[in-house]
Amino acid sequence: MQWTGLNELREKYLSFFESKDHTRMASASLVPQGDKSLLLINSGMAPLKKYFLGQAVPPNVRVTTCQKCIRTPDIESVGKTARHGTYFEMLGNFSFGDYFKTEAVAWAWEFLTKTLEIPADRLWITIYESDDEAEQIWENNIGIPHDRIIRLGKKDNFWEHGSGPCGPCSEIHFDRVGGGRKLDRAGFEAEGDKDNIIEIWNLVFSQFDSDGNGNYAEMKSKNIDTGMGLERLACVMQGVDNIFEVDTVQNIMKHISSIAGVSYKTDAKTDVSLRVITDHIRSTTLMVGDGIMPSNEGRGYVLRRLLRRAARHGRLLGITRPFLCEVCDTVINENSGAYPELAEKRDYIKKIIGVEEEAFAKTVDKGTELLNGFTAALAEQGKNILSGDDAFKLSDTYGFPIDLTIEICEEKGITVDSERFKELAQEQRAKAKADHLAKAGSSWADNSIKVNAPKTEFTGYTDFAAEDAKILAIYKDGVEADSANEGEDVVIVLDKTPFYAESGGQTGDTGVISDGSNSAAVADTIKSEGHFLHIASITEGTLSKGGTVDAVIDAERRMAIMRNHTTAHLLQYALRQVLGDHVHQAGQLVNDKACRFDFNHFSAMTAEEIAKVEELVNAEIMKAVPVTMVEMPIEEAKKLGAMALFGEKYGDTVRVVTADKSVEFCGGTHVSNTSQIGLFKIASESSVAAGVRRIEAVTGTGVLEMLNDYKNTIIRSAKALKLANLSELPEKCAAVSAELKEKEKALESLNQQAANAKAAAMFDNAVDVCGIKVVSARMDGASPDALRKMGDSVKDKNEEMIALFAGVNGEKGTLYCVCTASALKKGAHAGKLVQKAAAVTGGKGGGRPDSAMAGIGDISKADEAVKAFAAIVEEFVK
């Protein structure tokens, strides 16, 4: 048994099963495609489930893969021991109704003992307790001694998940202590608990169909599903204790150690942080590489949680600068041989991780400071439970993740009231959802209709009309009907259609479906499982199932959509030229009015950058470049450098749209030449989310409409300023603005003089509280800035004085409190005083001892707060 590197092991395994007529399939994305039951791919079998369930046809009845996997149920345990991790690779060989137990067992044994030369006496076999067939194969075919085959129960050696295909397992285990040991079942299990014997390969024999109630029927077509953790196999071949000592993983840890200036296995505390960072940066690099973005929901939250936990442990090691974006270089280098897309997306991955790390740095210090304050207060009170309200405040107000709050508290022997936190978080989500629904309204139609008919043939790439189309189905209120009459809203399904169904950000077509005397106006088109659903209203006569019709799209609208879609491709190319290769599409909407394009970038574009992008796109339009749309094998498309959407799963054949140097995978409709776009103009550039920008642009006649709007605005502005010559508008606006500023200054001066006069009168009527002059008054129309200036005049006085000014402007109000230096010596504190005064009105606020501001809650109670102020002061001063 020779030392073998992890990357070499992966290739040996896949090549071995290729020699056994298996088709090598690339690892699927970590983002599940069409499987809503999973947040992230967590096993080698998960992406192949559709083949096992008969929902799709595999490329071969024999398949082998090395699948990227993420499992996160025990994130908190990662680092604390060397056994836990979130990222791993799973080797697997699969048979879909082809070979079964005999071949699966023989090939597994051949690979381990012949290819890898693992001594046979170091391997143990476990089987399901009633699987005599497996035992006979191991004993008679392979020659395994009877006493090295351990029968185990359903918990250990039977794979089952609800109802459906299931079956017994046979596992191969490696004995780390030595070969030829004699152990019974109890001894074997005891050694397994000590990690002296570890499972390395699980062979699942899927031979039964379970009804979920304990009844198992033998399947005619039996399957094989095996799984062997690559990192665990590397532990065996490299003679190391755990995954953190495997060659590729160690190289990542060494990079972290060099940044932190610490070594592994010299201090138990720093070892925990090194393991946390090493594991989490592996996971996050691969996740970002598959298009996952940090967010507060779903898999994006898993990514954010891992990144922030790693960043915090970096601080525990004394690393105060962003460093994860550096370490991901080593992750990419160690994995790019198997996953070349990592190297291709290197700049993008580093940018995403770096931006998230910097964003966390802005919140972690403040959050940690507040949390330390909470825990210190609990210690003083002799308590050990952090309230859910405090935990929620840290999360909601300061962006401090609840999992970090829990982890830090655990380190201090404090528990968090998680139930109360969840209650508050749920209330917030419910409120946000209600607000969203109130704003968004409801949708009349959806794509949940299940059509029992052949899939629709789409003819709209080349034709704007389809003659003699057959009506396959009509739905009214989601229920299939034989016919529909004038005035009824329906969904119509045809056997062929030129109507493009909403997909890939391109809006659905509109138009007319008619047989001459009976017609329906199509308001939208969507797709459901290969069927094009025409959302329509019957405008004349009656349409019936089985009838023949002509389907005609709104050609002028479609041309506008095509202009905007092709422009989106040119726009992405231009953005990458101007901003860098990290730019990738993060979403888009193309309709007949505009092109809306979301993309990954981390700062607002400058006016110069926007102008350059416009220049590049319009240059492509002026060049009158042909736009080609060709279907080709995906590998050929990749060789052309075609850009794909992050996280999108494509079939073996893809449609590639090319416009000069812009080459993209796309199933949408496009113009045949860039000159048909006419003109391009960016209307706006804005932020959508952290690290995501949005450009809204117009093309063709849309540009003319925008220019006309600008012109009309200019004309109206000139008319309002009584200008005959439009060219004088900028100078006139500047002059009017300067004049207004002068008048504002004069008005502010007059208001200040009036306020000062009022303040002087107040001082004459000051109330004495413990030898301190206390004044309070309501100042209608006074701005917060004016209140500060009045307060400054009080603070400058060389006498003991406290003042409260209540500024009221319409429905808004502000309280401003100041204390002179001599008043502070008697216990006065403006922050506490204004906080109590604001409470009278239901408002909140606070601040420094010498000056503080608060908001007035109920304006009608402003006078009440003013009158109560002297009594409030009396509570504080001596």
Side-chain angles (χ1 to χ4, degrees), residues 154-225:
K154 206 168 189 178
K155 175 178 174 290
D156 297 297
N157 277 66
F158 195 93
W159 187 88
E160 183 175 21
H161 188 71
S163 60
C166 60
C169 311
S170 182
E171 295 176 343
I172 304 174
H173 300 252
F174 178 76
D175 193 334
R176 291 170 136 175
V177 174
R181 289 202 291 167
K182 302 292 183 180
L183 297 169
D184 58 11
R185 173 172 172 171
F188 173 86
E189 292 180 325
E191 287 296 278
D193 291 340
K194 296 175 185 176
D195 269 355
N196 288 332
I197 294 178
I198 59 169
E199 175 211 331
I200 55 174
W201 204 340
N202 185 14
L203 314 179
V204 178
F205 310 129
S206 186
Q207 66 187 89
F208 299 115
D209 186 5
S210 168
D211 64 1
N213 296 312
N215 300 308
Y216 301 93
E218 190 91 14
M219 293 195 302
K220 291 181 180 179
S221 180
K222 299 176 175 63
N223 304 314
I224 289 293
D225 159 22

Side-chain angles (χ1 to χ4, degrees), residues 823-836:
L824 294 176
K825 295 176 182 178
K826 288 195 170 184
H829 190 293
K832 295 177 181 178
L833 290 170
V834 80
Q835 184 179 46
K836 191 139 189 181

Side-chain angles (χ1 to χ4, degrees), residues 77 265 471 549 568:
S77 299
K265 289 192 172 180
I471 298 177
V549 293

